[in-house]
Amino acid sequence: MLPGSIQISGESLSSAEVQDVVESLRENSVRLLSLRGCRFSDRDFGRVCRGLAESHSLAQLNLNLGVVGSLERVRLLAEALQANRSVQSLFLHGSPLTDAGLALLNPALSVHPSLVSLDLGDCMLGDEGVNLICGLLPPDGAKSGLKELTLSANPAVTAKGWARLAIAVAHSSQIRVLNLDYNPLGDHIAGMLTVAVASSRTLEVLDLEGTGLTNTSAQILLDMVENYPTTLRTLILAENDISTDLQQQISDLLSEGEDEEEGDAHEQEGQGREKPPWIAQQKNSSSQMVLLTSGLGDNLFAETEM
């Protein structure tokens, strides 16, 4: 029997219900475990973590909305992830980690062999937390790192922290999706991020919804997509003070860029030449666009929950 999923949201779980979850983990019968916003005792949380440590089937773990609500729970989760080898997506959105909690968790995240998607949105992170996250985006030629990163709604991060992240993204050989929505970035930080996007060979989705951008940022983004090759295909600019005309121009240019790249890919196929990997990725995915309304890029497995 193929592994299934356990998805529970906003419930108070009894010890018996937690035991069912733990047994499923130990029996390798669950691939997706979501306990989003659920309430259960610290003792039961420890039991879930021990089941996580033993599981070989679990690929996606969703503990969003305060499930990891203390440093003790962070410690237990870190110990479990040190032993686990299978988890590919970890969602901790809305957990009060702070930089101190992420410091406890980071050693396990850094050495995990399978983790490619991480949601740390609304986790009360600051510059030190972002500095730790940069270590999960190794430079070209280093070990594999995150392909999808969500840092939505972490307003304590300063320009210094975002600058460090921009440098890491510029040199990351893996990152495909970056969600920075609802952070007070402003035009200055957006300019740094534009340089990172132009340097990246893999970034496909950038979410800048509600980040305090103006037409100044949009003009820089327009210049980038008009004059420089980029793998970017989805740019989310909703809830910013940016004119519809500029957003439409960016959208049109991204669409034109994809058409040209697909044509080049077909030509290379016809001539028997090997396609660069980023060309192949673009050919098999959705159209480039600027999203003018709310939305997030698809996760590697299921959902990014707010």
Side-chain angles (χ1 to χ4, degrees), residues 239-268:
E239 297 188 33
N240 287 297
D241 189 17
I242 297 175
S243 71
T244 302
D245 179 62
L246 274 175
Q247 294 188 56
Q248 190 60 54
Q249 289 183 61
I250 295 170
S251 176
D252 292 345
L253 285 168
L254 287 174
S255 299
E256 290 174 6
E258 183 184 352
D259 291 342
E260 291 175 0
E261 286 164 359
E262 286 190 352
D264 291 342
H266 287 307
E267 181 180 349
Q268 288 183 0

Side-chain angles (χ1 to χ4, degrees), residues 120-122 125 130 150-157 162 165 179-186 189 207-213 240:
L120 296 176
D122 194 18
L125 301 180
V130 170
T150 295
L151 290 174
S152 314
N154 282 292
V157 180
W162 294 126
L165 180 69
N179 298 314
L180 301 178
D181 48 313
Y182 298 106
N183 286 297
L185 302 180
I189 297 170
D207 187 352
L208 297 176
E209 179 176 356
T211 50
L213 309 188
N240 287 297

Side-chain angles (χ1 to χ4, degrees), residues 25-297:
L25 289 169
R26 288 175 171 165
E27 294 169 358
N28 295 310
S29 63
V30 58
R31 180 170 173 80
L32 185 158
L33 174 60
S34 176
L35 302 176
R36 180 179 181 269
C38 288
R39 298 171 297 279
F40 45 98
S41 69
D42 288 344
R43 176 177 177 274
D44 285 339
F45 183 85
R47 293 165 63 200
V48 171
C49 287
R50 287 190 290 276
L52 168 62
E54 297 177 24
S55 176
H56 303 296
S57 64
L58 189 67
Q60 178 172 308
L61 178 61
N62 186 329
L63 299 175
N64 283 354
L65 301 184
V67 177
V68 186
S70 68
L71 290 180
E72 175 60 17
R73 290 197 174 193
V74 173
R75 184 186 65 79
L76 291 169
L77 178 61
E79 290 177 356
L81 289 172
Q82 286 277 9
N84 177 274
R85 309 319 256 180
S86 63
V87 169
Q88 299 177 34
S89 297
L90 175 63
F91 302 149
L92 298 175
H93 202 114
S95 302
L97 291 183
T98 72
D99 290 351
L102 186 57
L104 288 176
L105 192 60
N106 187 67
L109 300 178
S110 298
V111 300
H112 197 285
S114 302
L115 187 69
V116 293
S117 178
L118 180 63
D119 186 343
L120 296 176
D122 194 18
C123 284
M124 302 174 64
L125 301 180
D127 288 354
E128 289 306 312
V130 170
N131 193 39
L132 293 172
I133 292 166
C134 289
L136 304 177
L137 303 174
D140 291 348
K143 66 184 180 71
S144 62
L146 296 177
K147 294 183 179 180
E148 178 170 351
L149 174 63
T150 295
L151 290 174
S152 314
N154 282 292
V157 180
T158 70
K160 181 180 179 181
W162 294 126
R164 286 176 173 173
L165 180 69
I167 293 170
V169 169
H171 290 279
S172 170
S173 59
Q174 298 289 325
I175 192 73
R176 286 168 36 195
V177 178
L178 181 61
N179 298 314
L180 301 178
D181 48 313
Y182 298 106
N183 286 297
L185 302 180
D187 289 331
H188 177 65
I189 297 170
M192 293 189 293
L193 289 170
T194 302
V195 174
V197 172
S199 301
S200 173
R201 293 179 297 169
T202 58
L203 188 66
E204 300 172 358
V205 178
L206 178 62
D207 187 352
L208 297 176
E209 179 176 356
T211 50
L213 309 188
T214 71
N215 285 342
T216 299
S217 298
Q219 192 63 55
I220 295 172
L221 288 163
L222 176 62
D223 180 67
M224 178 193 70
V225 299
E226 187 173 24
N227 296 300
Y228 302 94
T230 176
T231 55
L232 191 68
R233 71 168 42 78
T234 300
L235 179 60
I236 303 172
L237 295 173
E239 297 188 33
N240 287 297
D241 189 17
I242 297 175
S243 71
T244 302
D245 179 62
L246 274 175
Q247 294 188 56
Q248 190 60 54
Q249 289 183 61
I250 295 170
S251 176
D252 292 345
L253 285 168
L254 287 174
S255 299
E256 290 174 6
E258 183 184 352
D259 291 342
E260 291 175 0
E261 286 164 359
E262 286 190 352
D264 291 342
H266 287 307
E267 181 180 349
Q268 288 183 0
E269 285 178 331
Q271 296 177 358
R273 293 201 300 266
E274 182 179 357
K275 300 182 294 297
W278 55 92
I279 295 291
Q281 289 170 4
Q282 288 194 355
K283 181 183 175 184
N284 294 327
S285 54
S286 59
S287 298
Q288 293 179 311
M289 68 188 81
V290 176
L291 297 188
L292 311 184
T293 56
S294 299
L296 293 175

